[in-house]
Amino acid sequence: VDSNLRFGDTSAQNEFGRVLQGLVRADCVIQAVDIGGLRAGADVRRPGREGKQGLFMLADGSGGELFENYNNLTAAMSKMLERTSVTYVLAFQAEDLKLDGEFHKLKVKLEGGPKGARLVHRPGYFAPRPYVELSPAERKLSAASQLYGEPGGELEVATLAVSFEVASQPAYVPSLIEVDGADLLKGSENGQVTAEIFAYAIAANGEVRDYYNQILGIDIDKAGPALRQKGLKLWSQFEVPPGEYMARVLVRNSVTGTSGVAVAPFRVTDGSLAEPTLLAPLFPEPAGQWLNVRGQRVEESQHDYPFTVQGQAFEPSVKPVLAVGQSAAVLLSGYGLGDQVEIRGELLTPAGEPAGRVFLNLGERRLDSDSGLAQWAATLSVGDMDPGDYVLLVTATEPESSETYSSSLTVSVMK
């Protein structure tokens, strides 16, 4: 007797079980449609029966349903779409959950439902496992899902992207990332901390136009007090064509798995069209506060350090802190803006609602004849308002045409 024919191939069954486990871990539900059609009662041919059983196991094991006995594929697909067209989300918080990766079954009952109603739900969930136990593939999948999620996380991360050299294609877009040192150092061992950094430039249509990633191994003793008192600041770059973009950044501690996500919009104009643009406001801060790291792409690049004013380099703050009633130095710059341009600022809530007044005192306009970059050294102060995070929106208006050009930066206000 061939046991494989009678009972099935054990190795294939084990592999199938791993597939189902992976589907459940990924919260992926399979809806299966049997295209064999309605069979006569005497039709017990083995291939058709085994195929239907396989479809049933795949659907049922992942929390889905098998649609069978249809001679019309269109009708079967329509029924499947109808059954899955309306879903409900039922959420709960598991208490005292052990991080052991074990599977926990779920049982859901429907009370008072209509006659003939059938409840279909996911069979269960897997408890998370410690980050160090995850495979490289699982870590990559986790990073991908986090990167496209909401900003925030266990690590405080901020990012800034500013387009320069717009006359060249693709444009040079310096990218700055700040990571809070105290957050990054939590759980570090043996005087070492390793940060994984993933950064993507995503176009308005969702397409990834450029990206970089880097792993930084940091000796805490050699890094000095800057890492402990302030944190890590990475300077890297994107190179992208004209368009509207969102910079998305994920920073993760490779030992503990703690992570943070930051996003920042930026715009690259078409230099060949001489389209005016206003760059994000830049707030110089004292040098030496951060552990500064030049990214690998910067080391391989031929571009000069971009953050300068009147030939003097400065270090911009990615997320400036503004004190109520105090003035802060700010550099405003842009391409194609006229001599008489009017510039104003306002503070908005993260939801885009007006939040407070901004007072700008502009200095003399200076123009770089080689690059066409105009700069205004200015001071900025904010009125009395509640502490918190806001969006600083700066708008330049051309008096003759009334055309407006805007840029923004996330800032923190304190009293």
Side-chain angles (χ1 to χ4, degrees), residues 202-264:
I202 302 174
N205 62 359
E207 181 182 358
V208 176
R209 301 308 299 265
D210 197 10
Y211 75 96
Y212 65 86
N213 65 277
Q214 192 160 348
I215 298 178
L216 300 175
I218 303 171
D219 186 316
I220 299 175
D221 293 332
K222 293 182 179 179
L227 181 61
R228 294 186 177 89
Q229 295 177 5
K230 200 72 173 177
L232 169 70
K233 178 179 288 189
L234 175 74
W235 166 35
S236 191
Q237 67 185 58
F238 297 118
E239 293 188 357
V240 293
E244 301 284 346
Y245 294 90
M246 185 68 71
R248 279 193 165 270
V249 171
L250 167 68
V251 180
R252 183 168 61 186
N253 185 315
S254 64
V255 175
T256 64
T258 56
S259 62
V261 174
V263 299

Side-chain angles (χ1 to χ4, degrees), residues 159-388:
T159 188
L160 171 67
V162 186
S163 61
F164 286 90
E165 302 180 20
V166 295
S168 61
Q169 295 299 323
Y172 169 48
V173 183
S175 167
L176 293 175
I177 299 172
E178 289 179 354
V179 188
D180 182 78
D183 291 343
L184 187 61
L185 289 173
K186 290 178 181 178
S188 58
E189 299 177 350
N190 303 321
Q192 297 283 332
V193 62
T194 303
E196 300 174 306
I197 299 175
F198 306 85
Y200 288 77
I202 302 174
N205 62 359
E207 181 182 358
V208 176
R209 301 308 299 265
D210 197 10
Y211 75 96
Y212 65 86
N213 65 277
Q214 192 160 348
I215 298 178
L216 300 175
I218 303 171
D219 186 316
I220 299 175
D221 293 332
K222 293 182 179 179
L227 181 61
R228 294 186 177 89
Q229 295 177 5
K230 200 72 173 177
L232 169 70
K233 178 179 288 189
L234 175 74
W235 166 35
S236 191
Q237 67 185 58
F238 297 118
E239 293 188 357
V240 293
E244 301 284 346
Y245 294 90
M246 185 68 71
R248 279 193 165 270
V249 171
L250 167 68
V251 180
R252 183 168 61 186
N253 185 315
S254 64
V255 175
T256 64
T258 56
S259 62
V261 174
V263 299
F266 68 94
R267 182 169 181 258
V268 177
T269 58
D270 191 339
S272 63
L273 301 178
E275 182 182 359
T277 183
L278 180 66
L279 304 183
L282 300 176
F283 289 79
E285 64 178 353
Q289 291 188 336
W290 297 82
L291 173 63
N292 289 282
V293 178
R294 295 164 60 97
Q296 183 177 350
R297 296 190 75 175
V298 170
E299 297 290 351
E300 300 170 352
S301 173
Q302 301 298 319
H303 297 285
D304 296 328
Y305 184 75
F307 304 110
T308 61
V309 55
Q310 300 183 28
Q312 298 295 318
F314 68 93
E315 186 176 315
S317 174
V318 175
K319 187 179 179 181
V321 177
L322 306 178
V324 173
Q326 297 183 18
S327 297
V330 60
L331 180 68
L332 305 174
S333 53
Y335 292 94
L337 300 174
D339 294 340
Q340 305 302 318
V341 66
E342 299 174 356
I343 302 178
R344 61 181 179 86
E346 61 178 323
L347 286 176
L348 308 176
T349 67
E353 299 294 330
R357 296 184 62 187
V358 170
F359 305 93
L360 271 176
N361 184 15
L362 293 179
E364 181 182 354
R365 174 180 181 268
R366 296 181 180 274
L367 179 65
D368 187 325
S369 57
D370 294 331
S371 64
L373 180 68
Q375 293 183 323
W376 291 264
T379 57
L380 177 148
S381 60
V382 298
D384 189 22
M385 57 191 306
D386 294 332

